[in-house]
Amino acid sequence: MARERHDYDDIPGTFVFDAERSRQGYGINMFCMSLMKDENRKAFKANEAEYLKKFNLTPEQTNAILKRDYNRMLELGGNIYFAAKLGATDGHSFQHLAALMTGSTQQDYAAMMLAGGRSVEGNRSRSGKKAAAKSRAAGGKSATGKRKTKSKPKTKTRSAKRK
């Protein structure tokens, strides 16, 4: 079943964990949460593919887990905080996982976050760039073809006019 499209699906590099993704990723998240118990971590480490059969995972989800493709796990419904349990099993910190997911080193990721995070340039939306470019190309005209104008300043209220 295809996922319904939402406005927030347009944000580059972001997978919003909504109710639909929660349902889709139930198996991933239950697997990750199982790793909170030592005996489950040991069983998983002993035979990862066999351990994953306990959970209702799609082949894509199983593959993403085995490859430690965290971005794909999130896209397939995994919750970042649950996925961090898998990373911890492998000895990674949450910051290290975040760096992996952004394609940077842990030091570069830390520096970016200390500097205020990721720049908004190019990270607001995929279609927003296209819409802004179309507006500039149309000479500032709206989708209806009318030129956009600034709103008029508000007039004073009656009581202000009487004074």
Side-chain angles (χ1 to χ4, degrees):
M1 187 169 151
R3 184 175 150 70
E4 183 180 326
R5 295 291 300 167
H6 302 279
D7 289 342
Y8 50 75
D9 287 333
D10 194 38
I11 303 167
T14 302
F15 303 108
V16 176
F17 187 72
D18 57 9
E20 192 175 357
R21 257 206 182 92
S22 176
R23 284 188 296 277
Q24 177 189 13
Y26 183 80
I28 292 174
N29 296 318
M30 290 302 98
F31 152 69
C32 290
M33 292 305 291
S34 77
L35 298 176
M36 291 178 69
K37 293 184 177 179
D38 186 51
E39 65 267 18
N40 292 339
R41 287 191 300 274
K42 287 177 182 172
F44 176 65
K45 285 295 192 182
N47 189 336
E48 293 184 2
E50 190 62 33
Y51 183 81
L52 291 175
K53 289 179 182 177
K54 294 180 180 183
F55 303 91
N56 190 20
L57 300 169
T58 67
E60 285 180 300
Q61 291 171 329
T62 300
N63 193 39
I65 293 167
L66 292 174
K67 288 185 172 182
R68 303 304 196 269
D69 186 345
Y70 292 95
N71 284 325
R72 185 70 177 135
M73 287 170 59
L74 300 184
E75 186 179 7
L76 295 171
N79 178 295
I80 184 67
Y81 298 104
F82 296 163
K85 304 287 185 217
L86 174 59
T89 300
D90 291 336
H92 300 302
S93 68
F94 192 79
Q95 187 179 34
H96 180 82
L97 292 175
L100 286 173
M101 292 167 54
T102 59
S104 62
T105 66
Q106 191 169 349
Q107 292 77 18
D108 289 344
Y109 179 79
M112 175 187 67
M113 296 309 290
L114 289 171
R118 188 170 62 162
S119 165
V120 296
E121 285 303 314
N123 292 311
R124 289 191 177 182
S125 76
R126 292 180 189 99
S127 63
K129 290 187 217 175
K130 295 173 191 169
K134 284 180 184 177
S135 177
R136 284 191 298 276
K141 294 179 183 176
S142 69
T144 61
K146 296 181 181 178
R147 180 167 286 287
K148 293 180 184 177
T149 58
K150 292 183 180 177
S151 61
K152 295 178 185 177
K154 293 184 179 183
T155 59
K156 295 180 182 177
T157 62
R158 281 189 193 187
S159 61
K161 288 179 184 177
R162 287 188 210 135
K163 290 183 181 180

